[in-house]
Amino acid sequence: MNVMIADAREDAIPVAVDALGDETIERFGRVDLVCNNAGVVGSTEITAGSRCHPG
């Protein structure tokens, strides 16, 4: 069984996160599961394609 586990936090460098995805596809050929276990605290406007950094 081949397993890759990663924790890409909100302060991660976007290029590094992209590289992680590329490496996963190159090595395993697919991604079977992605879990976005994120929460937003407070009132924050979230728009498509934006990164949310509640303050």
Side-chain angles (χ1 to χ4, degrees):
M1 174 188 289
N2 291 317
V3 176
M4 178 179 281
I5 298 174
D7 181 3
R9 299 169 189 266
E10 70 178 48
D11 59 348
I13 300 168
V15 172
V17 175
D18 290 342
L20 173 65
D22 293 343
E23 175 66 24
T24 300
I25 296 298
E26 183 177 322
R27 182 171 176 183
F28 300 110
R30 66 180 195 228
V31 173
D32 291 327
L33 176 68
V34 174
C35 178
N36 180 359
N37 188 21
V40 177
V41 178
S43 177
T44 304
E45 181 179 341
I46 301 173
T47 58
S50 69
R51 292 179 57 138
C52 179
H53 294 280

Coordinates of all heavy atoms in Angstrom, one line a residue:
M1 N 0.8 -1.2 0.0 CA 0.0 0.0 0.0 C 0.9 1.2 0.0 O 1.8 1.4 0.8 CB -0.9 0.0 1.3 CG -1.7 1.3 1.4 SD -2.6 1.5 2.9 CE -3.9 0.3 2.7
N2 N 0.6 2.1 -0.9 CA 1.3 3.4 -1.0 C 0.5 4.5 -0.4 O -0.7 4.7 -0.8 CB 1.7 3.8 -2.4 CG 2.7 2.9 -3.0 OD1 3.7 2.5 -2.4 ND2 2.5 2.4 -4.2
V3 N 1.0 5.2 0.6 CA 0.3 6.3 1.2 C 1.1 7.5 1.3 O 2.3 7.5 1.6 CB -0.1 5.8 2.7 CG1 -0.8 6.9 3.4 CG2 -0.9 4.6 2.7
M4 N 0.4 8.7 1.1 CA 1.0 10.0 1.3 C 0.1 10.8 2.1 O -1.1 10.9 1.8 CB 1.3 10.7 0.0 CG 1.9 12.1 0.1 SD 2.2 12.9 -1.4 CE 3.8 12.1 -1.9
I5 N 0.6 11.3 3.2 CA -0.2 12.2 4.1 C 0.4 13.5 4.2 O 1.6 13.6 4.4 CB -0.4 11.6 5.5 CG1 -1.1 10.2 5.4 CG2 -1.1 12.5 6.4 CD1 -1.1 9.5 6.7
A6 N -0.3 14.6 4.0 CA 0.2 15.9 4.0 C -0.7 16.8 4.8 O -1.9 16.6 4.8 CB 0.4 16.4 2.6
D7 N -0.1 17.9 5.4 CA -0.9 18.9 6.1 C -0.5 20.2 5.5 O 0.6 20.7 5.9 CB -0.5 18.8 7.6 CG -1.3 19.8 8.4 OD1 -2.1 20.5 7.9 OD2 -1.0 19.8 9.6
A8 N -1.3 20.8 4.6 CA -1.0 22.1 4.0 C -1.8 23.1 4.8 O -3.0 23.2 4.6 CB -1.4 22.0 2.6
R9 N -1.2 23.9 5.6 CA -1.8 24.9 6.4 C -2.1 26.2 5.7 O -1.5 26.4 4.6 CB -1.0 25.1 7.7 CG -0.8 23.9 8.5 CD 0.2 24.1 9.6 NE 0.5 22.8 10.2 CZ -0.1 22.4 11.3 NH1 -1.0 23.2 11.9 NH2 0.2 21.2 11.9
E10 N -2.9 27.1 6.3 CA -3.2 28.3 5.6 C -2.0 29.2 5.3 O -2.0 30.0 4.5 CB -4.3 29.1 6.4 CG -3.8 29.7 7.7 CD -4.9 30.5 8.4 OE1 -6.0 30.0 8.5 OE2 -4.6 31.6 8.8
D11 N -0.9 29.0 6.1 CA 0.3 29.8 5.9 C 1.3 29.1 5.0 O 2.4 29.6 4.8 CB 0.9 30.2 7.2 CG 1.3 29.0 8.0 OD1 0.9 27.9 7.7 OD2 2.0 29.2 9.0
A12 N 0.9 28.0 4.3 CA 1.8 27.3 3.4 C 2.1 28.2 2.2 O 1.3 29.0 1.8 CB 1.1 26.0 3.0
I13 N 3.2 27.9 1.7 CA 3.6 28.6 0.4 C 2.9 28.0 -0.7 O 3.0 26.8 -1.0 CB 5.1 28.5 0.2 CG1 5.9 29.2 1.4 CG2 5.6 29.2 -1.1 CD1 7.3 28.9 1.5
P14 N 2.1 28.8 -1.5 CA 1.2 28.2 -2.5 C 2.0 27.3 -3.5 O 1.6 26.3 -4.0 CB 0.6 29.4 -3.2 CG 0.5 30.4 -2.1 CD 1.8 30.2 -1.3
V15 N 3.2 27.7 -3.9 CA 4.0 27.0 -4.8 C 4.4 25.6 -4.3 O 4.4 24.6 -5.0 CB 5.3 27.8 -5.2 CG1 6.3 26.9 -6.0 CG2 5.0 29.0 -5.9
A16 N 4.6 25.5 -3.0 CA 5.0 24.3 -2.3 C 3.7 23.3 -2.3 O 3.9 22.1 -2.5 CB 5.5 24.5 -0.9
V17 N 2.6 23.9 -2.1 CA 1.3 23.1 -2.1 C 1.1 22.6 -3.5 O 0.7 21.4 -3.7 CB 0.1 24.0 -1.6 CG1 -1.2 23.2 -1.7 CG2 0.4 24.4 -0.2
D18 N 1.3 23.4 -4.5 CA 1.1 22.9 -5.9 C 2.1 21.8 -6.2 O 1.8 20.8 -6.9 CB 1.4 24.1 -6.9 CG 0.2 25.1 -6.8 OD1 -0.9 24.8 -6.3 OD2 0.4 26.2 -7.3
A19 N 3.4 22.0 -5.7 CA 4.4 20.9 -6.0 C 4.0 19.6 -5.3 O 4.3 18.6 -5.9 CB 5.7 21.4 -5.5
L20 N 3.4 19.7 -4.1 CA 3.0 18.5 -3.4 C 1.9 17.8 -4.3 O 2.0 16.6 -4.4 CB 2.4 18.9 -2.1 CG 1.7 17.7 -1.3 CD1 2.7 16.7 -0.9 CD2 1.0 18.3 0.0
G21 N 1.0 18.5 -4.8 CA 0.0 17.9 -5.7 C 0.6 17.3 -6.9 O 0.2 16.1 -7.3
D22 N 1.5 18.0 -7.5 CA 2.1 17.5 -8.7 C 2.9 16.2 -8.4 O 2.9 15.2 -9.2 CB 3.1 18.5 -9.3 CG 2.3 19.7 -9.9 OD1 1.1 19.6 -10.1 OD2 3.0 20.8 -10.1
E23 N 3.7 16.2 -7.3 CA 4.5 15.0 -6.9 C 3.6 13.8 -6.6 O 3.9 12.7 -7.0 CB 5.3 15.4 -5.7 CG 6.1 14.2 -5.2 CD 7.2 13.6 -6.1 OE1 7.6 14.4 -7.0 OE2 7.5 12.5 -6.0
T24 N 2.4 14.1 -6.0 CA 1.5 13.0 -5.7 C 1.0 12.3 -6.9 O 1.0 11.1 -7.1 CB 0.3 13.5 -4.8 OG1 0.8 14.1 -3.6 CG2 -0.7 12.4 -4.5
I25 N 0.5 13.2 -7.9 CA 0.0 12.6 -9.2 C 1.2 11.9 -9.9 O 0.9 10.8 -10.5 CB -0.5 13.7 -10.1 CG1 -1.8 14.4 -9.4 CG2 -0.9 13.2 -11.5 CD1 -2.9 13.4 -9.1
E26 N 2.4 12.4 -9.9 CA 3.5 11.8 -10.6 C 3.8 10.5 -10.0 O 4.0 9.5 -10.7 CB 4.7 12.7 -10.6 CG 5.9 12.2 -11.4 CD 7.1 13.1 -11.4 OE1 6.9 14.3 -11.5 OE2 8.2 12.6 -11.3
R27 N 3.8 10.4 -8.7 CA 4.2 9.2 -8.0 C 3.1 8.1 -8.0 O 3.4 6.9 -8.2 CB 4.6 9.5 -6.5 CG 5.1 8.3 -5.8 CD 5.7 8.8 -4.4 NE 6.1 7.6 -3.7 CZ 6.6 7.6 -2.5 NH1 6.7 8.8 -1.9 NH2 6.9 6.5 -1.8
F28 N 1.9 8.5 -7.7 CA 0.8 7.6 -7.5 C -0.2 7.5 -8.6 O -1.0 6.6 -8.7 CB 0.1 7.8 -6.2 CG 0.9 7.8 -5.0 CD1 1.3 8.9 -4.3 CD2 1.4 6.6 -4.5 CE1 2.1 8.9 -3.1 CE2 2.2 6.5 -3.4 CZ 2.6 7.6 -2.7
G29 N -0.2 8.5 -9.5 CA -1.1 8.5 -10.6 C -2.5 9.1 -10.3 O -3.3 9.3 -11.3
R30 N -2.8 9.3 -9.1 CA -4.1 9.8 -8.7 C -4.2 10.2 -7.3 O -3.3 9.9 -6.5 CB -5.2 8.7 -8.9 CG -5.0 7.5 -8.0 CD -6.1 6.5 -8.2 NE -6.1 5.6 -7.1 CZ -6.1 4.3 -7.2 NH1 -6.1 3.7 -8.4 NH2 -6.1 3.5 -6.1
V31 N -5.2 10.9 -6.9 CA -5.5 11.3 -5.5 C -6.8 10.6 -5.2 O -7.8 10.8 -5.8 CB -5.6 12.8 -5.3 CG1 -6.1 13.2 -3.9 CG2 -4.3 13.5 -5.7
D32 N -6.9 9.8 -4.1 CA -8.1 9.1 -3.8 C -8.9 9.9 -2.8 O -10.1 9.7 -2.7 CB -7.7 7.7 -3.2 CG -7.2 6.8 -4.2 OD1 -7.6 6.9 -5.4 OD2 -6.3 5.9 -3.9
L33 N -8.3 10.7 -1.9 CA -9.1 11.4 -0.9 C -8.4 12.7 -0.6 O -7.2 12.8 -0.4 CB -9.1 10.5 0.4 CG -9.8 11.2 1.6 CD1 -11.3 11.3 1.3 CD2 -9.6 10.3 2.8
V34 N -9.2 13.7 -0.5 CA -8.7 15.0 0.0 C -9.7 15.5 1.0 O -10.9 15.5 0.8 CB -8.7 16.1 -1.2 CG1 -8.4 17.5 -0.6 CG2 -7.7 15.7 -2.2
C35 N -9.3 15.8 2.2 CA -10.1 16.3 3.3 C -9.8 17.7 3.6 O -8.7 18.0 4.1 CB -9.9 15.4 4.5 SG -11.0 15.9 5.9
N36 N -10.7 18.6 3.4 CA -10.6 20.0 3.8 C -11.3 20.2 5.1 O -12.5 20.4 5.1 CB -11.1 20.9 2.7 CG -11.0 22.4 3.0 OD1 -10.5 22.7 4.0 ND2 -11.4 23.2 2.1
N37 N -10.5 20.1 6.1 CA -11.1 20.2 7.5 C -10.8 21.6 8.0 O -10.0 21.8 8.9 CB -10.5 19.2 8.4 CG -11.2 19.1 9.7 OD1 -12.3 19.6 9.9 ND2 -10.5 18.6 10.7
A38 N -11.3 22.6 7.3 CA -11.1 24.0 7.7 C -12.3 24.7 8.3 O -13.4 24.3 8.0 CB -10.6 24.8 6.4
G39 N -12.1 25.6 9.1 CA -13.2 26.4 9.6 C -12.9 27.9 9.6 O -11.8 28.3 9.5
V40 N -13.9 28.7 9.5 CA -13.8 30.1 9.5 C -14.5 30.6 10.8 O -15.6 30.3 11.1 CB -14.5 30.7 8.3 CG1 -14.4 32.2 8.3 CG2 -13.9 30.2 7.0
V41 N -13.7 31.4 11.5 CA -14.2 32.0 12.8 C -14.5 33.5 12.6 O -13.7 34.2 12.0 CB -13.2 31.8 13.9 CG1 -13.7 32.5 15.2 CG2 -12.8 30.4 14.1
G42 N -15.7 33.9 13.0 CA -16.1 35.3 12.8 C -16.8 35.5 11.5 O -17.1 34.6 10.8
S43 N -17.0 36.8 11.2 CA -17.7 37.1 10.0 C -16.7 37.5 8.9 O -15.9 38.5 9.1 CB -18.6 38.3 10.2 OG -19.2 38.7 9.1
T44 N -16.6 36.7 7.8 CA -15.6 37.0 6.8 C -16.3 36.7 5.4 O -17.0 35.7 5.3 CB -14.4 36.0 7.0 OG1 -13.9 36.2 8.3 CG2 -13.4 36.2 5.9
E45 N -16.0 37.6 4.5 CA -16.5 37.4 3.1 C -15.6 36.5 2.4 O -14.4 36.7 2.4 CB -16.7 38.7 2.4 CG -17.2 38.5 1.0 CD -17.4 39.9 0.2 OE1 -17.4 40.9 0.9 OE2 -17.5 39.8 -1.0
I46 N -16.1 35.4 1.8 CA -15.3 34.5 1.1 C -15.7 34.5 -0.4 O -16.9 34.3 -0.7 CB -15.4 33.0 1.6 CG1 -15.0 33.0 3.1 CG2 -14.6 32.1 0.8 CD1 -15.2 31.7 3.8
T47 N -14.8 34.8 -1.3 CA -15.1 34.8 -2.7 C -14.4 33.7 -3.4 O -13.4 33.2 -3.0 CB -14.7 36.1 -3.3 OG1 -13.3 36.3 -3.1 CG2 -15.4 37.3 -2.7
A48 N -15.0 33.2 -4.5 CA -14.4 32.1 -5.3 C -13.0 32.4 -5.6 O -12.6 33.4 -6.1 CB -15.3 31.9 -6.5
G49 N -12.1 31.4 -5.4 CA -10.7 31.5 -5.7 C -9.9 32.3 -4.8 O -8.7 32.4 -5.0
S50 N -10.5 32.8 -3.7 CA -9.6 33.6 -2.8 C -9.2 32.7 -1.6 O -9.8 31.7 -1.3 CB -10.4 34.8 -2.2 OG -11.5 34.4 -1.4
R51 N -8.2 33.2 -0.9 CA -7.7 32.5 0.3 C -8.3 33.3 1.5 O -8.3 34.5 1.5 CB -6.2 32.5 0.4 CG -5.6 31.6 -0.7 CD -4.1 31.6 -0.6 NE -3.7 31.2 0.8 CZ -2.7 30.4 1.1 NH1 -2.0 29.9 0.1 NH2 -2.5 30.1 2.3
C52 N -8.8 32.6 2.5 CA -9.5 33.2 3.6 C -8.5 33.3 4.8 O -8.0 32.3 5.2 CB -10.7 32.5 4.0 SG -11.6 33.2 5.4
H53 N -8.3 34.5 5.3 CA -7.4 34.7 6.4 C -8.2 35.5 7.5 O -8.0 36.7 7.5 CB -6.1 35.4 6.1 CG -5.2 34.6 5.2 ND1 -4.4 33.6 5.7 CD2 -5.1 34.6 3.9 CE1 -3.8 33.1 4.7 NE2 -4.1 33.6 3.6
P54 N -9.1 34.9 8.2 CA -9.9 35.7 9.2 C -8.9 36.3 10.2 O -7.9 35.8 10.6 CB -10.8 34.6 9.9 CG -10.3 33.3 9.4 CD -9.3 33.5 8.3
G55 N -9.3 37.5 10.6 CA -8.4 38.2 11.5 C -9.1 38.6 12.8 O -8.8 39.0 13.7

